[in-house]
Amino acid sequence: MSSHVPQQRLTTASIRQMKGQSKIACLTAYTTPTAKLIDPHCDLIVVGDSVGMVLYGMKNTVAVTLEMMSAHGCAVMRGVRNSCVIVDLPFGTYQESKEQAFRNALRLLQETGCDGIKLEGGEEMSETIAFLVARGIPVFGHVGLMPQMVNVAGSFRSLGHTESEADKIRRDAVSVAEAGAFAIVIEGTVEIVARQITGSIDIPTIGIGASPACDGQILVSDDMLGLFSDFTPKFVKKFADISPLISSAVEEYVSEVKAGLFPTKEHTFHPRRN
Ligand code: KIV
């Protein structure tokens, strides 16, 4: 009998149980190689619709499609053995009705093998969240700054500065938690509001630009690696700066090619001697 025990990935239930026990470390990933590098260290990986901006050069996430999310979800799942993986439902694939949300969430779960889906929205999405959870689809909520709402909001700006904004975010978070989400992203929100929400709901809060007062944190991996240079939000810390390394490697390659110095003998095939 083989002594090999297949490794179990973290589930949405285990992420939920981490509230109050240990901080939850999350990153985004869109490709197999990045997922392989991130997976041994993170609790949860989000295949975010930020893929549209980060990999496709889109100006926001509005035009990201279900097909893109499925393809990148499959790519990430090929590189993961440890982390819980959540795939974003993109804009327009869940807002119309709870039935539309179920159909598209099911498609992502079945095509990618991921553990659950993430969708943006508060009170207005609570019925949909309850519908999905009651039918076997784990939901990761997302409140505060909601990038898919950019055309209504007018910009990506932090929220919770006025009492009415703060009240709306608190009500949104409570209704998402009560609807049965296993955890919730709080994006671009002032510390006091993130702290109040974290202390008042029984599911983990995962902050992005929402202060340390959350149960965990998420960053876009390309931001924290210094790979995405279009803009760097104030809340991002670059834990590495990969872009200059890529530029200097490319410069060196091009100058060696131009000078006839690459490939060398070492990188060239020659007939084998028997
Ligand atoms: O799209 C995304 O990458 C996200 C995470 C940063 C939470 O929504």
Side-chain angles (χ1 to χ4, degrees):
M1 199 175 82
S2 159
S3 62
H4 176 75
V5 182
Q7 193 172 338
Q8 293 284 312
R9 288 191 301 103
L10 287 172
T11 62
T12 56
S14 39
I15 297 294
R16 184 178 182 152
Q17 283 159 9
M18 287 172 77
K19 186 168 176 105
Q21 305 297 316
S22 73
K23 288 271 189 183
I24 303 168
C26 318
L27 280 172
T28 66
Y30 320 108
T31 64
T32 310
T34 309
K36 278 187 180 161
L37 290 169
I38 288 173
D39 177 57
H41 311 286
C42 276
D43 301 308
L44 186 143
I45 293 178
V46 172
V47 185
D49 60 357
S50 51
V51 67
M53 298 170 76
V54 173
L55 292 195
Y56 291 84
M58 295 172 171
K59 70 177 194 316
N60 57 46
T61 58
V62 171
V64 174
T65 64
L66 201 64
E67 287 66 31
M68 287 162 72
M69 296 315 301
S70 178
H72 287 282
C74 289
V76 166
M77 287 301 291
R78 287 182 205 113
V80 168
R81 297 178 56 208
N82 163 64
S83 313
C84 179
V85 178
I86 299 301
V87 179
D88 261 351
L89 274 175
F91 184 56
T93 65
Y94 62 95
Q95 289 92 344
E96 196 178 317
S97 66
K98 47 194 195 303
E99 290 79 9
Q100 182 207 29
F102 182 81
R103 205 168 42 250
N104 290 326
L106 178 66
R107 184 171 158 195
L108 286 183
L109 247 63
Q110 290 182 331
E111 289 181 2
T112 69
C114 70
D115 301 286
I117 56 87
K118 180 165 79 57
L119 55 81
E120 295 179 13
E123 292 173 301
E124 71 288 1
M125 291 311 302
S126 62
E127 209 185 315
T128 296
I129 295 171
F131 187 85
L132 297 186
V133 175
R135 285 157 183 77
I137 304 205
V139 176
F140 196 10
H142 186 147
V143 300
L145 191 166
M146 295 186 253
Q148 293 179 8
M149 292 295 283
V150 64
N151 286 320
V152 172
S155 65
F156 298 118
R157 70 168 182 89
S158 63
L159 297 168
H161 301 275
T162 64
E163 197 38 50
S164 73
E165 274 179 10
D167 195 43
K168 167 83 177 105
I169 302 169
R170 282 190 295 257
R171 282 191 280 112
D172 280 347
V174 169
S175 62
V176 167
E178 285 176 349
F182 74 90
I184 188 169
V185 169
I186 305 179
E187 178 162 356
T189 299
V190 298
E191 178 163 13
I192 177 72
V193 178
R195 186 179 303 285
Q196 287 162 342
I197 293 171
T198 301
S200 67
I201 60 177
D202 64 356
I203 59 170
T205 56
I206 308 297
I208 173 161
S211 86
C214 295
D215 298 304
Q217 296 293 326
I218 186 163
L219 284 176
V220 168
S221 49
D222 296 59
D223 282 343
M224 58 83 80
L225 293 172
L227 265 170
F228 182 66
S229 51
D230 285 5
F231 65 88
T232 307
K234 170 187 155 76
F235 58 80
V236 169
K237 174 176 171 183
K238 280 192 191 176
F239 287 81
D241 201 3
I242 309 286
S243 296
L245 293 179
I246 295 178
S247 297
S248 72
V250 171
E251 247 175 67
E252 193 178 332
Y253 163 75
V254 169
S255 73
E256 288 195 12
V257 168
K258 299 268 185 198
L261 296 172
F262 179 83
T264 59
K265 215 171 162 188
E266 190 193 339
H267 301 106
T268 303
F269 292 114
H270 297 284
R272 276 190 208 100
R273 271 188 255 124
N274 289 325

